[in-house]
Amino acid sequence: MANPSFVYQPPMTPYLDFIYRDEDMVVAHKPSGLLSVPGKAQEHKDALITRVNTVLPTATVVHRLDMATSGILVMALNKDSHRHISKQFELRKTKKRYFAKVYGHITDDKGDVDLPLICDWPNRPKQMVDHERGKRALTHYEVIERAVDANGQAFTLVALYPITGRSHQLRVHMLALGHPILGDRLYAHPDALAMASRLQLHAESLCFMHPNNGQWLNFQCQVPFSQYRPAPLLDN
């Protein structure tokens, strides 16, 4: 296992942070360090959906974010909404934008990472590139800023657009470029790990159609580790 010494200490403040809520769904901000859904062990029972269910008992998870990733997560409040929103994720009708700080300076201003992924079973939950057995994974990226921190260490702020939704896709794809995400306990080398106290990955924008009225919705959640304020993610 890749996390033998892991101790789960989920953040308690804010306990819940709703971005949007109606009779069909709720959109919340999941902080870094909080599970999307409960784990098997008793000490891993605290999760975003568990907290939401204390006030919205019918809420169900439509998609997930890694525990270490912060950002937007949508939950359905009835079966019809769950089916409708889930189908949009399944058919890749949603649009998502993440932001990350990665180690070093990415050379190209934009590009694609098209590398198939599979679970690295002896080191689970880690994933790895596997051209023979892996499932296709595609990420578009765009450099926002190249800079250095207070210690003179180079980093890049990058916008990431996952076309597929594989587990740890953005983390492994950035690693494959030679630019691991700062603060990544699973994939960063010691220098990149030491540059941040948390994983510098945030699900900033999510766009999808409302499950009831068909209206196109565009949600944003401020990047907690950057002053950069991106324009809304276009819906066409």
Side-chain angles (χ1 to χ4, degrees), residues 1 10 42 69 76 100 141 147 149 152 155-156 166 172 183-184 197 200:
M1 298 286 287
Q42 183 61 37
T69 304
Y141 70 86
D149 66 12
F155 70 88
T156 303
R166 307 301 177 199
V172 179
D184 193 335
S197 60
Q200 304 285 280

Side-chain angles (χ1 to χ4, degrees), residues 43-224:
E43 59 267 28
H44 298 159
K45 294 304 181 184
D46 188 13
L48 181 61
I49 187 59
T50 308
R51 296 181 181 187
V52 171
N53 284 154
T54 63
V55 292
L56 298 169
T58 65
T60 54
V61 172
V62 177
H63 65 120
R64 303 182 187 187
L65 294 175
D66 293 345
M67 181 193 69
T69 304
S70 59
I72 295 174
L73 196 144
V74 60
M75 289 151 281
L77 295 180
N78 55 65
K79 290 182 179 179
D80 287 342
S81 295
H82 187 105
R83 183 166 49 250
H84 192 286
I85 300 172
S86 293
K87 201 68 175 178
Q88 293 184 62
F89 277 91
E90 179 185 343
L91 298 177
R92 301 174 188 168
K93 299 295 185 181
T94 63
K95 296 187 179 182
K96 296 171 281 186
R97 179 172 63 194
Y98 291 67
F99 283 87
K101 280 184 178 179
V102 303
Y103 186 80
H105 287 165
I106 298 177
T107 302
D108 295 331
D109 289 339
K110 60 179 60 178
D112 299 326
V113 184
D114 190 353
L115 295 171
L117 302 178
I118 194 172
C119 180
D120 182 2
W121 191 250
N123 298 302
R124 60 191 186 280
K126 293 180 72 173
Q127 308 291 308
M128 64 181 184
V129 174
D130 189 314
H131 292 280
E132 295 183 358
R133 299 171 297 153
K135 294 182 178 180
R136 192 189 182 210
L138 176 61
T139 302
H140 300 321
Y141 70 86
E142 179 183 5
V143 169
I144 303 299
E145 177 190 25
R146 299 177 182 90
V148 295
D149 66 12
N151 296 316
Q153 295 281 352
F155 70 88
T156 303
L157 179 66
V158 60
L160 302 171
Y161 303 86
I163 306 305
T164 53
R166 307 301 177 199
S167 181
H168 294 184
Q169 175 177 318
L170 301 179
R171 299 163 74 173
V172 179
H173 276 178
M174 291 298 97
L175 177 68
L177 280 185
H179 300 280
I181 298 176
L182 305 186
D184 193 335
R185 294 180 64 250
L186 290 181
Y187 300 102
H189 51 67
D191 287 346
L193 180 61
M195 287 176 67
S197 60
R198 56 150 289 189
L199 177 70
Q200 304 285 280
L201 179 62
H202 180 73
E204 179 268 340
S205 283
L206 177 63
C207 304
F208 59 95
M209 293 186 68
H210 192 282
N212 189 12
N213 60 31
Q215 179 184 356
W216 190 262
L217 303 172
N218 190 338
F219 297 105
Q220 284 186 278
C221 183
Q222 181 176 317
V223 181

